[in-house]
Amino acid sequence: MDINKAKQQVKDTIEAYLATDDQGRPLLDVSRQRPIFLVGAPGIGKTAIMSQIAVELEMGLVSYSMTHHTRQSALGLPYIVKESYGDFEYEASEYTMSEIVASVYDYMRKHKVERGILFLDEINCVSETLYPSMLQFLQFKTFGRHQIPEGWIVVTAGNPPEYNKSVHDFDIVTLDRLKRIAVEPNLDAWKAYAAAKGTHPAVTTFLSIKKDRFYVVEATLDGKSFVTARGWDDLSEIMTIFERLGKTVDYDLIIQYVQNEKIAREFAAYYDLFNKYREDYRIEEILNGQEDVAKVSERAKNAEFDERLSLVGLMLDSLCGGMRAVNQDTQVMVSLRDVLREVKAQAAEEGTDSAEALAKCVIERQSRLEMQVAAGTITKAKRTQEEEVISQLGELARVCSAEGFGAVEALYGQMVGAIAPKTQEIESRLVNAFAFLQGAFGDKQEMLVFTTELTSRVDSAKYIAQYGSASYYEHNENMILSTRQRDLRRRIEDLDL
């Protein structure tokens, strides 16, 4: 299965393992909760999805690469204790707590987290001395005599033997006690993740044109030559930073991440063309309706397919960036609305001071955010959003203290009202985008790619579901949500206090 399906399988399994009955007892006995074993080629996202799952389920995450552990660090160090049986006294060996188990308890104490995921990577590449103990751990969830704490789920990962000479094949007895999930590289699954993350458009459009370059592992005279999803992901991030700092992105940088000479040179050449397209087509001017598009439209009409697809990718990247910003503003307003409703209700029922309640909420949210950041259970985007909520709550608390809750409601209304001009601007840019594509390509493949991407990308799909888009509905009648679905979503996201 692809990495997205694997992620959902892991997430569903963890939730099932943690489910309890009315008396708080696990629905599935702990002894029957098989450790999850993700097996797949390196660099396809096995580690990445564990961080995502921990954040989404609001659980702790402790990760270890088992290739770095010896028998002593995994099991603990031996020491001598005195025991007795009746009148007979003798000495016996005990072991200190495993470093791995101890790290779980340290994490729980430091971050005040009771439930979490213990993720052990490269589980089938442990040393010969540790291998028997790992089999025991997979069967009984214990290192030596020390068991993983209650509420912690064991997830493991490993590579197939063809990718790593150090791999040990598990026997049937062990495999029969694991929940094995096989993961295969899949470009479509990765593109969905890449679109949500904001991967560099040069990477996504290149892979849309040359799909067979996404994941490649070859044996050469000089050793392994490879390209992985992780490599493309990391290259995207460093490219974005290099561009921001005005540094050169070229073959010498690309080969450090795309470790296949042929593909690295292909992408370096494409990146140069991509930047030329970005400069020549003047995307922002087209989207803002400032450009006389006749000449540019004629060039696009006569361009090769990869150039046309690059143009579509550039337009989508710019549009989705604006939609992402409005989505974040909306979520901030939703969070503020919920707090203000609660404070208003408490003031009416209990006579509490609204300014003090808002100030207290700021302190509580700041404390919770600091704990989430320290524990690594919040994404960068969520952190940015929560920091904005806290900042705005602080301002509302100051206004409330000085002018009363009525002034807070008025200020909140102004904040909500400031979103409308942004949505109008986005719709105008969409109209210009559709007009340009219609003029250049008509209803051919390029228009299909554009509308399909707007439907599938997280930022654009969420934005259109919330605010609608007449131009999108006009050009994408077969994909639009029903009127009833849109109305229901708008009610859910209603910002009215």
Side-chain angles (χ1 to χ4, degrees):
M1 67 181 68
D2 65 50
I3 194 67
N4 287 339
K5 291 179 180 177
K7 175 184 173 181
Q8 192 60 50
Q9 284 285 323
V10 174
K11 191 174 179 180
D12 289 345
T13 300
I14 291 174
E15 290 181 309
Y17 286 179
L18 295 174
T20 58
D21 60 19
D22 295 338
Q23 284 73 45
R25 295 172 298 201
L27 293 179
L28 183 64
D29 189 78
V30 175
S31 64
R32 305 300 297 274
Q33 295 180 7
R34 295 186 173 198
I36 300 164
F37 179 37
L38 286 170
V39 58
I44 60 175
K46 300 187 295 294
T47 303
I49 64 169
M50 297 316 305
S51 298
Q52 297 167 20
I53 291 170
V55 170
E56 292 169 14
L57 296 180
E58 298 183 344
M59 299 175 67
L61 176 66
V62 174
S63 300
Y64 271 97
S65 174
M66 296 310 299
T67 55
H68 303 311
H69 278 280
T70 64
R71 188 174 186 277
Q72 287 75 20
S73 62
L75 296 182
L77 295 172
Y79 64 95
I80 304 300
V81 295
K82 290 188 176 182
E83 301 283 358
S84 62
Y85 180 75
D87 295 331
F88 176 63
E89 291 188 356
Y90 59 94
E91 293 181 339
S93 295
E94 285 281 4
Y95 285 86
T96 58
M97 180 175 284
S98 160
E99 176 187 318
I100 295 173
V101 178
S103 68
V104 174
Y105 283 106
D106 289 343
Y107 185 97
M108 295 170 66
R109 182 179 65 255
K110 182 178 180 181
H111 302 297
K112 306 295 188 294
V113 173
E114 295 299 321
R115 302 190 311 177
I117 301 166
L118 174 59
F119 179 59
L120 303 180
D121 201 4
E122 309 291 351
I123 194 72
N124 53 354
C125 294
V126 295
S127 64
E128 293 288 349
T129 57
L130 185 56
Y131 186 66
S133 300
M134 288 310 305
L135 298 184
Q136 179 194 36
F137 169 76
L138 293 174
Q139 293 180 29
F140 304 109
K141 305 183 187 71
T142 61
F143 280 116
R145 296 178 60 181
H146 304 287
Q147 192 161 26
I148 301 303
E150 183 180 350
W152 281 72
I153 306 301
V154 177
V155 181
T156 66
N159 300 322
E162 60 265 30
Y163 295 103
N164 194 324
K165 295 178 181 178
S166 302
V167 166
H168 300 280
D169 286 325
F170 290 144
D171 56 33
I172 294 177
V173 173
T174 302
L175 288 173
D176 197 36
R177 288 174 168 83
L178 296 174
K179 181 180 173 69
R180 185 178 183 275
I181 300 175
V183 190
E184 298 291 336
N186 184 285
L187 177 58
D188 290 335
W190 182 83
K191 282 178 66 178
Y193 155 81
K197 186 179 180 182
T199 297
H200 197 291
V203 173
T204 54
T205 51
F206 174 78
L207 293 176
S208 295
I209 298 166
K210 298 182 180 293
K211 296 179 172 60
D212 60 342
R213 306 301 197 260
F214 171 59
Y215 197 99
V216 177
V217 177
E218 298 174 341
T220 69
L221 294 176
D222 298 322
K224 291 288 186 182
S225 173
F226 59 91
V227 184
T228 68
R230 181 192 296 130
W232 288 117
D233 195 23
D234 291 347
L235 175 61
S236 167
E237 292 204 7
I238 199 67
M239 284 171 58
T240 302
I241 295 171
F242 266 45
E243 289 180 347
R244 182 174 180 177
L245 297 176
K247 297 183 180 296
T248 302
V249 176
D250 56 15
Y251 169 79
D252 291 334
L253 175 70
I254 294 167
I255 191 64
Q256 298 166 27
Y257 297 87
V258 179
Q259 299 186 50
N260 177 294
E261 182 178 352
K262 178 182 176 182
I263 297 175
R265 291 195 183 280
E266 285 180 346
F267 181 70
Y270 176 79
Y271 178 73
D272 290 340
L273 283 174
F274 181 87
N275 284 328
K276 190 174 187 303
Y277 302 152
R278 183 156 49 183
E279 182 179 340
D280 291 352
Y281 280 106
R282 299 193 293 277
I283 300 300
E284 290 304 309
E285 294 180 21
I286 292 174
L287 294 178
N288 291 331
Q290 300 170 352
E291 171 69 22
D292 179 5
V293 299
K295 185 181 295 185
V296 179
S297 178
E298 189 64 25
R299 170 177 171 171
K301 188 182 301 184
N302 297 318
E304 297 293 332
F305 178 69
D306 61 344
E307 183 173 337
R308 300 198 301 270
L309 198 60
S310 298
L311 171 60
V312 171
L314 285 166
M315 296 174 74
L316 284 164
D317 188 59
S318 181
L319 287 165
C320 288
M323 293 176 179
R324 187 183 308 119
V326 170
N327 290 339
Q328 181 169 317
D329 289 345
T330 302
Q331 285 303 117
V332 169
M333 292 301 108
V334 169
S335 296
L336 292 176
R337 177 205 64 191
D338 293 343
V339 172
L340 294 178
R341 281 179 174 175
E342 183 178 350
V343 168
K344 186 176 182 179
Q346 287 180 349
E349 295 174 8
E350 305 170 13
T352 56
D353 183 276
S354 298
E356 289 184 4
L358 286 172
K360 182 180 178 182
C361 184
V362 170
I363 294 171
E364 290 175 347
R365 293 185 82 116
Q366 183 65 46
S367 177
R368 183 166 65 250
L369 176 61
E370 289 173 357
M371 290 186 64
Q372 289 174 324
V373 170
T377 56
I378 187 169
T379 63
K380 185 186 297 184
K382 284 287 187 182
R383 177 180 178 178
T384 300
Q385 178 182 309
E386 185 62 13
E387 287 173 342
E388 180 64 17
V389 170
I390 292 169
S391 175
Q392 296 289 3
L393 278 176
E395 177 61 23
L396 293 174
R398 287 188 289 274
V399 170
C400 189
S401 180
E403 304 177 45
F405 196 79
V408 168
E409 291 181 302
L411 179 57
Y412 175 79
Q414 293 174 15
M415 292 177 180
V416 173
I419 295 179
K422 297 178 182 178
T423 64
Q424 293 166 6
E425 180 184 355
I426 289 174
E427 179 60 20
S428 174
R429 286 162 64 84
L430 274 170
V431 168
N432 292 332
F434 278 114
F436 177 85
L437 293 172
Q438 189 73 47
F441 311 119
D443 292 323
K444 295 182 180 178
Q445 187 173 358
E446 293 77 13
M447 182 67 80
L448 177 62
V449 170
F450 185 74
T451 52
T452 301
E453 286 290 309
L454 283 175
T455 303
S456 60
R457 292 193 182 199
V458 173
D459 293 318
S460 52
K462 185 175 181 180
Y463 173 88
I464 292 170
Q466 170 66 34
Y467 293 104
S469 170
S471 57
Y472 169 81
Y473 298 142
E474 179 183 349
H475 288 87
N476 200 29
E477 292 180 357
N478 293 330
M479 298 183 188
I480 64 173
L481 297 168
S482 68
T483 301
R484 177 170 174 77
Q485 286 175 310
R486 293 201 303 276
D487 288 344
L488 285 172
R489 290 198 183 196
R490 284 176 182 155
R491 287 183 194 178
I492 293 171
E493 297 288 344
D494 181 19
L495 298 178
D496 185 16
L497 281 173

